[in-house]
């Protein structure tokens, strides 16, 4: 599907007679999963530069449970409603996009039993205080999903300390994938940012330099040499950039 989209003429048409070349776009994709990825999927994603974001880690439990709870209520309402009164999936999506993306759809009306769980889901997602999912763009051909134990704790601290040292480590835990953690070096209890790497992805990073004796040190030096985080505050976007230097990782905002 990705090849079909990128090989097609995805262009923006210009007014006739302007002489301006058409703009062509190339799309890159990220796939989120709550149950991990097979080795075959990881290999395919690496070959085609598709970002894999694994939400099966314990840090994403709040997000998973929130969506599961809303989905259970929606399914129960669907089973109880007469066949002619069951909304279509696109209607549920259109309704949810309203509060999340400020989008209005004419067919977004839903009965109360369907609106209530979606309203609760949207409200929790908009607060973002406990969910703490941040997308980060490192110096690598993929995107990382960072889970924060206190999202606003990190954002507020970065605002007050636009440049500060950060400790990065690979956690020693039994999981389906390696988990990494970032904390402020000076105030480690203020926030924690964690991200996971599928095994094949981490192995691919390390294999770029077979002579590097330490996997952790090489991943820090290569993948974490720069990492950009975007924070949307209303219509204003704030950028935080993480830079790795020997012995430490710095966050600049």
């Amino acid at each position: 599907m990705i090849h079909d989209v990128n090989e097609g003429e995805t262009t923006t048409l210009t007014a006739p007679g302007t002489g301006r070349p058409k703009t062509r776009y190339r799309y890159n994709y990220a796939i989120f999963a709550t149950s991990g990825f097979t080795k075959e999927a990881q290999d395919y994603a690496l070959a085609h530069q598709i970002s894999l974001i694994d939400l099966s880690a314990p840090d994403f439990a709040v997000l998973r449970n929130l969506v599961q709870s809303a989905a259970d209520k929606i399914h129960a309402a669907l089973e109880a409603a007469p066949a002619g009164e069951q909304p279509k999936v696109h209607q549920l999506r259109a309704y949810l996009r309203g509060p999340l993306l400020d989008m209005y759809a004419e067919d977004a009306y839903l009965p109360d039993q369907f609106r209530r769980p979606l309203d609760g889901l949207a409200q929790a997602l908009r607060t973002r205080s406990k969910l703490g999912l941040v997308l980060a763009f490192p110096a690598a051909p993929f995107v990382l999903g960072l889970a924060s134990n206190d999202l606003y704790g990190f954002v507020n601290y970065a605002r007050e300390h636009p440049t500060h040292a950060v400790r990065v480590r690979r956690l020693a835990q039994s999981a389906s994938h390696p988990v990494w953690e970032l904390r402020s070096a000076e105030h480690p209890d203020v926030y924690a940012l964690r991200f996971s790497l599928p095994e094949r992805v981490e192995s691919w990073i390390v294999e770029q330099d077979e002579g590097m004796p330490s996997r952790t040190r090489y991943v820090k030096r290569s993948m974490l040499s720069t990492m950009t985080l975007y924070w949307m505050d209303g219509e204003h976007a704030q950028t935080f950039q993480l830079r790795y230097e020997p012995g430490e990782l710095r966050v600049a905002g």
Side-chain angles (χ1 to χ4, degrees):
M1 183 178 67
I2 293 173
H3 282 300
D4 289 342
V5 171
N6 284 329
E7 291 177 0
E9 286 295 326
T10 53
T11 61
T12 298
L13 298 178
T14 57
T18 60
R20 299 174 184 173
K22 296 179 180 180
T23 302
R24 181 167 184 174
Y25 300 94
R26 178 173 179 82
Y27 294 91
N28 295 306
Y29 291 79
I31 298 177
F32 296 74
T34 58
S35 58
F37 299 93
T38 64
K39 292 182 178 179
E40 293 77 12
Q42 295 177 41
D43 289 339
Y44 186 88
L46 282 172
H48 297 279
Q49 296 188 7
I50 302 173
S51 298
L52 302 180
I53 300 179
D54 193 342
L55 302 178
S56 65
D59 304 270
F60 291 110
V62 174
L63 177 60
R64 293 196 308 270
N65 294 338
L66 176 68
V67 175
Q68 183 66 55
S69 175
D72 289 343
K73 294 175 182 177
I74 291 293
H75 277 282
L78 286 171
E79 292 178 357
E85 299 178 9
Q86 296 176 351
K88 304 298 183 182
V89 174
H90 73 88
Q91 292 176 290
L92 299 173
R93 291 174 176 168
Y95 181 85
L96 190 58
R97 290 190 185 105
L100 293 181
L101 303 175
D102 294 325
M103 296 176 61
Y104 173 77
E106 294 183 357
D107 59 349
Y109 171 78
L110 292 175
D112 289 344
Q113 65 268 33
F114 299 104
R115 288 194 295 107
R116 283 192 293 267
L118 292 178
D119 288 342
L121 175 61
Q123 178 62 29
L125 291 173
R126 286 180 66 89
T127 60
R128 300 189 294 184
S129 58
K130 294 182 179 179
L131 299 178
L133 173 62
V134 179
L135 293 182
F137 300 82
F142 49 78
V143 178
L144 295 176
L146 304 181
S148 174
N149 64 338
D150 186 350
L151 180 60
Y152 286 107
F154 164 71
V155 173
N156 293 333
Y157 187 83
R159 286 171 174 169
E160 296 175 2
H161 305 81
T163 300
H164 63 270
V166 177
R167 294 175 181 172
V168 57
R169 61 172 180 158
R170 188 176 189 266
L171 300 181
Q173 63 180 35
S174 56
S176 60
H177 44 263
V179 178
W180 295 72
E181 182 181 78
L182 304 175
R183 286 181 179 268
S184 167
E186 186 175 355
H187 303 96
D189 296 330
V190 174
Y191 68 84
L193 294 172
R194 292 185 178 180
F195 62 92
S196 61
L197 290 174
E199 287 282 0
R200 306 283 284 185
V201 175
E202 187 180 87
S203 297
W204 172 81
I205 296 172
V206 177
E207 288 170 1
Q208 305 307 302
D209 189 343
E210 298 179 354
M212 181 61 59
S214 171
R215 168 178 297 208
T216 301
R217 185 166 67 251
Y218 179 72
V219 173
K220 289 181 185 179
R221 193 185 72 179
S222 59
M223 188 190 71
L224 298 181
S225 58
T226 59
M227 184 183 296
T228 304
L229 289 75
Y230 296 95
W231 171 257
M232 294 300 298
D233 188 3
E235 296 182 355
H236 178 67
Q238 291 185 307
T239 302
F240 303 102
Q241 187 171 37
L242 285 65
R243 302 189 186 120
Y244 175 72
E245 298 176 2
E248 66 181 7
L249 186 69
R250 290 189 174 274
V251 178

